Amino acid sequence: MFDLANLSLDVVILLLRVALVALLYLFLIQVVQFIARDIQSGATSGPRSTAGIGRLVLTHPGQTGLVVGRIFLLTAQTVIGRSAERCDIAFNDTSLSQQHARLALRGDTWMLEDLRSTNGTFLNDIEVRDVVAVAVGDSIRLGRIEVRLER
């Protein structure tokens, strides 16, 4: 004989299993996207970068896991921070703010501006409070990360 109660219970269990598998696949997709974004944040140039007109050389990587000497190309307006979506150069280090600092080329002079970061921006170990000029060879510290400006 046909048992409607067992049939509906079997259908509900099947639907729950299908929903669980779908949720697992969505979770895996999110993990892969997060890892891909994390890898891209250490890329040599950000997604908005074109031909570099200057460069930053990593002298102290903080907790990023990047190699000392890594080069990051600069554009006329380069935002540095932790957010891969909103920054030209993104470092995966919790000591950085989402948008930490900006390097802008004005004429032949690089200008450094702190973007209200939590842990501060330092030029040659002096805290940056206003927009300041940066010379080639100067050391810039952003949270625990240090870089040197080069041409």
Side-chain angles (χ1 to χ4, degrees):
M1 177 143 176
F2 184 69
D3 188 10
L4 186 60
N6 279 338
L7 180 64
S8 63
L9 183 61
D10 289 340
V11 170
V12 169
I13 290 173
L14 177 65
L15 291 175
L16 287 173
R17 286 181 178 174
V18 169
L20 179 63
V21 169
L23 286 174
L24 286 173
Y25 275 110
L26 286 174
F27 175 74
L28 286 174
I29 289 169
Q30 291 294 316
V31 168
V32 168
Q33 287 176 342
F34 176 79
I35 290 171
R37 202 175 12 230
D38 191 40
I39 290 170
Q40 286 177 347
S41 71
T44 301
S45 60
R48 292 176 268 169
S49 295
T50 56
I53 52 177
R55 63 188 194 166
L56 293 176
V57 178
L58 188 64
T59 57
H60 187 271
Q63 295 180 336
T64 63
L66 297 174
V67 178
V68 171
R70 178 104 185 230
I71 295 171
F72 298 89
L73 298 179
L74 298 173
T75 59
Q77 292 276 336
T78 303
V79 176
I80 305 166
R82 193 174 69 227
S83 172
E85 292 83 25
R86 296 173 20 202
C87 295
D88 300 295
I89 299 174
F91 293 105
N92 186 18
D93 191 312
T94 57
S95 69
L96 264 65
S97 298
Q98 292 292 317
Q99 289 184 306
H100 197 94
R102 177 182 300 126
L103 265 172
L105 187 60
R106 294 188 187 147
D108 289 336
T109 306
W110 285 102
M111 304 301 287
L112 176 64
E113 174 185 8
D114 181 75
L115 299 176
R116 296 188 207 158
S117 64
T118 304
N119 292 321
T121 301
F122 296 83
L123 177 63
N124 298 322
D125 291 324
I126 299 171
E127 188 170 8
V128 173
R129 296 191 182 271
D130 295 315
V131 179
V132 295
V134 182
V136 172
D138 281 351
S139 175
I140 301 168
R141 183 164 39 101
L142 310 150
R144 292 182 286 247
I145 298 167
E146 287 186 37
V147 292
R148 182 180 62 247
L149 178 66
E150 291 186 355
R151 282 279 173 191

